[in-house]
């Protein structure tokens, strides 16, 4: 039988809610049926990619405006996990981002690298009133 | 953000008393370290025993502290990393940058 | 500023997912700004009313059919928490349910009583393809 | 469902090794108790130390066990209730029905 889960979340555009979104990701990881891998590792990874993507939406796109809203959708079907994080900003070119410079110590620039490393497929595209970062991973 | 800051001789011990070190609170850790550097401190141990989750901005705050300490000929060392937190340092190759100790005492004794 | 949170969840019609829905309720309770009461008590109560309402939808309405879906929506705005649990069953009259019989020990019949005791307002109404149990509570 | 079932003389100790006792697993606790009764047992202690959450169907399973034990002139007693779990018994007035002990040893000794 096909396990289908959908969770759709809207919260104020504030870093205070990063923990809530991350925890929901962890809860989903711990609930999935028949996951063969290390569940606690998966829980950390989902928490992390959700936190990174949402922090980017808050800090780079919605620019900290606390009256804006962040919309995150998490769905699981046919063993594919799909996470979408919507922002209301100007957008950026995710494909032209360089990898972090591992020689020179930078404070920033590890978020998208982490997401790319942990997920199978990452896209960032225009959407109705902004953009959507979409991340997919097959979980067996 | 819950931080315990204590002077241990010339070294300052910062214990992070939070489950998460993320974009919500990492700015505070960074600015606490900045004021320590401004007071003339240069050697810091950050104890992460209670931290279950670190994101890239938490790592960024630690990198900021490390760079500031180095610029003053000091050092910033870490201790008490839970295994998943440790994996974050490996993923971003920062385990080659920081000196990481299991316990606070070892980290303090290493200066 | 008005704190607005919306979480919309769809999971298979199986008791396995009760824990996920309950945990999301707890996570929300622990995140809300400026709640004056005991947060851990609130977390338990939200976990509980979500678990009770969803278990009813699974066991009494959707009759354990694992291919059906349960839909739960949790929203918070103007300090009012609103939880809706949708089912695809025949419905029942929530207002004609007696209180549990505290003298004679029954195994069943405490779910709606618990929900009524913990929430300010409880309704159960027809909805598109079934019914919706709606529970409200003001959180100050 | 994780249960530890152990005979302590004439009394059976059931330790519930789950965080949640709810509509997902309470049926299993109930049927485990039923088979103990069928084997001729009549005195049971259910230890709930690890249980953080109980719903009405978890309470229902315990009520079922209590009624079956009573019908056999036995008893079902509880121990190790976390404070929020205890509140559930108060909310549903079941704290007047069950004998509730802090520790397993006290519950076992009370028979
Ligand atoms: N949602 C977004 N909207 C606009 N720009 C973004 C968004 N997400 C990422 N970026 C851009 O990509 C850069 C790299 O992001 P990231 O790898 O997460 O590192 P960091 O956030 O630490 O800078 C950011 O500095 C920003 O310029
Ligand atoms: N969603 C529902 N659809 C149909 N009937 C319901 C639903 N929820 C509750 N009921 C009815 O109300 C009764 C009381 O429910 P409740 O108080 O939760 O106790 P219990 O579920 O233990 O019987 C149930 O036995 C059932 O007949």
């Amino acid at each position: 039988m096909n396990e289908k889960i959908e969770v759709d979340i809207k919260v104020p555009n504030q870093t205070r809610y990063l923990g809530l979104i991350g925890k929901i990701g962890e809860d989903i990881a711990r609930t999935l049926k028949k996951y063969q891998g290390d569940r606690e590792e998966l829980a950390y990874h989902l928490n992390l990619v959700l936190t990174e993507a949402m922090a980017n939406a808050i800090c780079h796109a919605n620019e900290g405006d606390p009256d804006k809203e962040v919309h995150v959708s998490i769905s699981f079907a046919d063993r594919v996990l799909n996470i979408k994080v919507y922002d209301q900003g100007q957008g950026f070119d995710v494909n032209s981002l360089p990898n972090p410079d591992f020689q020179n110590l930078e404070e920033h620039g590890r978020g998208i690298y982490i997401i790319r490393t942990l997920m199978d497929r990452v896209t960032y595209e225009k959407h109705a009133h902004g953009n959507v970062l979409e991340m997919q991973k097959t979980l067996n | 953000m819950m931080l315990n800051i204590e002077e241990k001789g010339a070294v300052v011990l910062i214990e992070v008393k939070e489950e998460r070190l993320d974009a919500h609170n990492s700015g505070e850790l960074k600015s606490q370290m900045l004021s320590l550097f401004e007071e003339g401190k240069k050697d810091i141990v950050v104890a992460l025993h209670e931290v279950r989750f670190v994101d890239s901005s938490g790592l960024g705050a630690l990198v900021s502290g490390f760079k500031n300490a180095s610029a003053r000929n000091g050092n910033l060392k870490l201790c008490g990393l839970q295994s998943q937190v440790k994996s974050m340092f490996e993923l971003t190759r920062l385990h080659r940058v920081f000196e990481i100790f299991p316990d606070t005492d070892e980290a303090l004794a290493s200066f």
Side-chain angles (χ1 to χ4, degrees), chain A, chain B:
Chain A
M1 216 198 39
N2 178 14
E3 181 177 25
K4 232 178 124 210
I5 300 177
E6 281 177 45
V7 181
D8 209 80
I9 312 156
K10 288 180 186 148
V11 291
N13 185 51
Q14 296 162 38
T15 53
R16 170 184 183 85
Y17 300 95
L18 289 172
L20 172 62
I21 308 293
K23 283 238 175 66
I24 291 177
E26 289 193 341
D27 295 338
I28 292 174
R30 297 196 178 111
T31 302
L32 293 179
K33 279 185 186 164
K34 295 186 200 147
Y35 177 63
Q36 316 268 342
D38 177 338
R39 252 176 217 282
E40 284 308 304
E41 183 179 85
L42 178 65
Y44 195 106
H45 289 174
L46 297 191
N47 188 342
L48 186 57
V49 298
L50 283 161
T51 300
E52 297 293 344
M54 179 165 155
N56 278 349
I58 294 171
C59 304
H60 300 306
N62 303 349
E63 289 168 338
D65 177 348
D67 289 333
K68 286 191 173 163
E69 190 175 69
V70 183
H71 175 187
V72 176
S73 104
I74 308 172
S75 73
F76 182 73
D78 302 318
R79 307 227 56 90
V80 177
L81 183 80
N82 197 321
I83 298 177
K84 293 182 192 157
V85 177
Y86 297 85
D87 71 47
Q88 297 156 262
Q90 294 299 312
F92 75 113
D93 182 2
V94 71
N95 294 313
S96 70
L97 271 190
N99 266 356
D101 181 342
F102 293 114
Q103 303 311 317
N104 289 309
L105 262 183
E106 298 290 343
E107 269 180 56
H108 298 284
R110 295 180 181 85
I112 299 286
Y113 166 77
I114 287 172
I115 291 173
R116 279 227 184 86
T117 307
L118 299 180
M119 302 297 281
D120 296 340
R121 185 162 174 273
V122 180
T123 61
Y124 183 84
E125 279 168 10
K126 281 247 155 299
H127 183 268
H129 304 287
N131 311 279
V132 54
L133 181 79
E134 188 167 349
M135 321 178 249
Q136 287 189 352
K137 190 176 177 82
T138 301
L139 302 176
N140 283 313
Chain B
M1 167 176 228
M2 297 285 289
L3 296 175
N4 268 355
I5 305 186
E6 224 178 311
E7 298 197 19
K8 300 280 192 181
V11 183
V12 181
L13 171 64
I14 303 180
E15 292 174 308
V16 181
K17 299 287 189 187
E18 298 277 346
E19 237 192 54
R20 287 174 65 94
L21 178 57
D22 66 7
H24 186 50
N25 56 17
S26 59
E28 215 175 308
L29 173 61
K30 186 173 149 180
S31 61
Q32 285 283 356
M33 290 190 291
L34 281 180
S35 43
L36 290 169
F37 293 126
E38 276 163 21
E39 287 170 25
K41 308 286 182 250
K42 59 187 190 49
D43 289 318
I44 293 182
V45 169
V46 181
L48 296 171
H49 299 81
E50 297 193 9
V51 176
R52 214 173 58 71
F53 178 86
V54 178
D55 73 357
S56 70
S57 85
L59 295 176
L62 295 170
V63 165
S64 156
F66 178 85
K67 296 204 318 188
N68 273 298
S70 303
R72 286 162 175 79
N73 291 314
N75 205 340
L76 183 149
K77 305 186 183 187
L78 304 175
C79 64
L81 275 63
Q82 296 187 18
S83 70
Q84 294 194 310
V85 169
K86 189 144 192 194
S87 303
M88 275 297 288
F89 284 82
E90 286 157 10
L91 179 65
T92 53
R93 306 193 199 171
L94 289 171
H95 61 303
R96 298 180 194 164
V97 171
F98 292 97
E99 280 184 63
I100 300 176
F101 297 85
D103 300 322
T104 308
D105 288 347
E106 293 172 60
L108 289 171
S110 74
F111 276 93

